[in-house]
Amino acid sequence: MKLGFIGLGVMGAPMAAHLVAAGHDVSGYDVNTAAGEKLEAAGGRAARDVADAVAGADVVITMLPNHPQVEAVVLAAGGVLDIAEPGTLLIDMSTIRPETSIAVAEAARDRKIRVLDAPVSGGQTGAEQASLSIMAGGTEEDFAAAKPVLDALGKTVVHVGPHGAGQVVKAANQLVVGGIYGLVAEAIVLLEASGVDAATGLDVLAGGLAGSRILELKRQSMVDRRFAPGFRIDLHHKDMGIALAAARQADVALPLTGLVAQLVAAGRAMGYGSLDHSALLKVVEQLSGRVPAEV
């Protein structure tokens, strides 16, 4: 298929490259011109602007930082909905507010453009390995049409409900991920303060009921204090805001989510926003007065 891909950042660039490798004709656009050059090196085409990426595309994918960027690219004059032809399938893979996804779907309906909200989980590693979990909101018919494209990007691709449902599932994902990172951080601080080797202790935890994907992939880097970003605290801070807003919209109380959101906000305030979200360990250490030498 002919694909337009808008947003060639840390996640979008490898995703677009996988779509090229899967045999699709991909035109990509990003405000960073170097990202377009990288796509061309992978066999795609660097578009001049949004309109150039969208023109004639069967499917348009957006992978953008937050709802203001999605609104500017999709809803504004000269954006995706203005350029795309009737019948085009727009797949927004950004993590944004559910209400924005619903608004995009409603605006697109008037122009006979099909829409899915399909945020992802798996971070930079998942994008690079095409092993993302993808949670899609929209109609079953549109999901079926998108499935061959999404299968080139992820290993778990699930239709979770109507428009906006993908974003709600992603919010739930982020509150769980943030909570686990916070608890793993507390476990490391407890083990080390008690004179127990943290790496050995976490090896045991990873093999029992406490085991998780985070312990599987991140326990050693956390013990080593290696926080090169796979997913930055700044972005997790944004996502926790989405989770709290979704809770208010649904009229439910999520007290642990509120606490995790404050830990993430503290990490950002402490200057760790550009670090990986596993750097919540640095926040917990400071709360306990245990700040190790920089590695």
Side-chain angles (χ1 to χ4, degrees):
M1 286 186 281
K2 184 171 174 23
L3 305 182
F5 201 111
I6 302 168
L8 302 172
V10 170
M11 300 286 290
M15 292 166 68
H18 287 309
L19 292 169
V20 173
H24 299 292
D25 178 4
V26 181
S27 295
Y29 173 71
D30 194 278
V31 292
N32 178 4
T33 56
E37 295 169 359
K38 187 175 180 180
L39 176 62
E40 290 198 331
R45 184 181 76 89
R48 298 183 302 274
D49 50 28
V50 170
D52 186 29
V54 173
D58 303 302
V59 176
V60 175
I61 296 175
T62 48
M63 188 64 174
L64 299 164
N66 204 349
H67 69 272
Q69 289 82 11
V70 172
E71 291 167 357
V73 166
V74 175
L75 299 176
V80 174
L81 296 189
D82 271 359
I83 304 301
E85 299 173 2
T88 301
L89 177 59
L90 168 61
I91 307 173
D92 179 33
M93 305 190 77
S94 319
T95 296
I96 60 174
R97 306 176 305 181
E99 56 263 38
T100 298
S101 294
I102 294 169
V104 166
E106 290 175 347
R109 187 181 303 118
D110 295 336
R111 301 175 187 237
K112 296 182 170 53
I113 294 171
R114 301 172 292 161
V115 173
L116 291 175
D117 52 285
V120 306
S121 177
Q124 182 177 354
T125 299
E128 292 173 347
Q129 297 178 353
S131 60
L132 294 167
S133 291
I134 303 173
M135 48 223 84
T139 68
E140 291 186 5
E141 180 182 8
D142 292 342
F143 174 73
K147 187 73 159 49
V149 173
L150 299 178
D151 281 342
L153 303 174
K155 290 187 175 178
T156 301
V157 181
V158 181
H159 179 230
V160 296
H163 296 298
Q167 300 297 348
V168 175
V169 174
K170 179 59 187 289
N173 178 86
Q174 294 303 82
L175 70 88
V176 171
V177 168
I180 293 172
Y181 270 126
L183 288 171
V184 171
E186 291 187 3
I188 291 171
V189 169
L190 173 62
L191 290 166
E192 292 180 344
S194 303
V196 176
D197 181 73
T200 302
L202 292 186
D203 285 347
V204 176
L205 297 183
L209 187 58
S212 69
R213 187 73 168 154
I214 286 173
L215 275 175
E216 177 187 343
L217 296 177
K218 290 295 190 84
R219 65 183 187 271
Q220 192 60 54
S221 62
M222 289 181 73
V223 170
D224 293 343
R225 273 65 175 182
R226 291 185 280 112
F227 302 120
F231 190 79
R232 292 181 285 116
I233 278 180
D234 277 341
L235 290 174
H236 210 130
H237 174 71
K238 179 262 293 186
D239 291 353
M240 295 307 295
I242 293 172
L244 291 172
R248 181 180 289 272
Q249 184 71 24
D251 198 23
V252 295
L254 303 180
L256 293 179
T257 299
L259 179 56
V260 173
Q262 290 303 309
L263 287 173
V264 174
R268 192 165 182 264
M270 291 173 180
Y272 305 144
S274 64
L275 300 181
D276 187 74
H277 45 181
S278 58
L280 281 184
L281 174 56
K282 294 171 73 70
V283 178
V284 175
E285 286 175 324
Q286 291 199 34
L287 289 174
S288 297
R290 300 182 60 86
V291 183
E294 292 295 330
V295 177

